Amino acid sequence: MLQASSPVEYKSTRRRNSKIEPFQHNKLIKDPGFVPRVCNAVTQAICEFYAQGSTNLPLERLYRDVYNVVLHKKGEELYKAMEITLTSKVQSLCRPLDAAPEDDALFLQELLAKWNCHARAVKMTHDILPYLDRTFIPTNRRMPIHEVGLHLWRDNMARSDKIRARLIQAVRRQRGGEEELVHGVNKMLTELGAEVMNVPHLCFRDSAGKLHVAGP
């Protein structure tokens, strides 16, 4: 499962004594803009998770709106918004790695920092969409949110020929040096799961079941 390097904290702009109006069950019928607004709010929250590690949106209202969107059989729109946003953010994170610093240690530091940013954001995304993950996803046989995060990182990082070659080269050179960085990369690969083994020449599994970047 995705793990972040630091505890997840959320910020909410809701005042302590403020009240959230009860949801009107005919609102989805009377207000065709309700679902798009909720999808936009979820998109904004995810973008803020990547940018600042928190969101300024009122979380209690967001939870309630997400719940009602799923309850009224509109979970597909919400799921697509989540998936599209995560895809875009992962692509933005991985794109600069193609032109990462020549220094091996700096490259690995940048890679792991981006991985931790992604892992933290995916966890936060899951935390604001619990009802989507518990009901819509299993009922409609969609990929769970944390698996979407793993899948996207594998496709955009591990399956990139440039990044993969750079990663293998950097780890080989760092063995016996910055072992903490090598350990961090191996931990990332283990968290990515068994499917990463299908990436050619990237890693191998030791006798304890842990994954390591390929090379001597």
Side-chain angles (χ1 to χ4, degrees):
M1 186 173 182
L2 284 169
Q3 297 179 357
S5 59
S6 58
V8 173
E9 295 183 0
Y10 299 111
K11 295 179 181 178
S12 174
T13 57
R14 188 177 75 89
R15 295 181 179 178
R16 182 175 298 178
N17 295 324
S18 64
K19 294 183 179 180
I20 300 174
E21 297 179 0
F23 182 79
Q24 299 175 3
H25 292 286
N26 61 353
K27 190 171 184 178
L28 286 173
I29 299 175
K30 291 185 176 181
D31 183 4
F34 176 72
V35 173
R37 283 199 301 274
V38 176
C39 291
N40 287 338
V42 168
T43 295
Q44 178 183 337
I46 295 173
C47 290
E48 290 178 353
F49 293 156
Y50 278 94
Q52 62 193 36
S54 63
T55 179
N56 293 319
L57 294 174
L59 292 177
E60 293 86 350
R61 180 171 183 173
L62 186 57
Y63 294 145
R64 184 204 63 186
D65 287 347
V66 167
Y67 172 84
N68 282 290
V69 167
V70 177
L71 185 66
H72 289 79
K73 311 300 182 184
K74 298 294 183 179
E76 184 66 36
E77 289 91 330
L78 202 58
Y79 186 87
K80 286 182 178 178
M82 175 274 298
E83 192 174 37
I84 289 171
T85 307
L86 288 180
T87 300
S88 175
K89 301 310 291 185
V90 171
Q91 290 173 345
S92 296
L93 282 176
C94 290
R95 195 174 298 117
L97 290 172
D98 286 338
E102 289 296 325
D103 183 274
D104 295 323
L106 290 178
F107 169 77
L108 295 178
Q109 288 171 5
E110 182 175 345
L111 172 67
L112 292 174
K114 290 178 181 294
W115 159 249
N116 286 328
C117 172
H118 172 62
R120 182 170 56 246
V122 171
K123 184 182 186 307
M124 289 178 169
T125 300
H126 175 271
D127 288 348
I128 65 170
L129 301 172
Y131 194 66
L132 184 77
D133 212 44
R134 289 198 307 266
T135 59
F136 170 81
I137 287 176
T139 300
N140 293 273
R141 298 182 179 180
R142 296 292 191 273
M143 186 180 293
I145 294 170
H146 80 275
E147 290 187 20
V148 171
L150 294 174
H151 177 80
L152 288 171
W153 192 259
R154 280 194 298 262
D155 279 359
N156 287 274
M157 186 283 295
R159 297 186 188 279
S160 165
D161 292 338
K162 289 183 179 180
I163 298 175
R164 184 173 68 251
R166 185 77 177 85
L167 172 61
I168 293 172
Q169 180 186 58
V171 168
R172 285 175 176 173
R173 291 175 176 174
Q174 285 300 307
R175 285 198 172 100
E178 296 286 346
E179 289 294 341
E180 183 177 350
L181 293 175
V182 176
H183 174 73
V185 171
N186 292 338
K187 182 180 178 183
M188 176 190 71
L189 293 176
T190 300
E191 291 173 8
L192 286 175
E195 286 188 25
V196 79
M197 291 291 293
N198 296 328
V199 179
H201 313 300
L202 176 61
C203 57
F204 65 93
R205 191 183 300 277
D206 65 17
S207 58
K210 295 181 179 180
L211 296 179
H212 300 265
V213 173

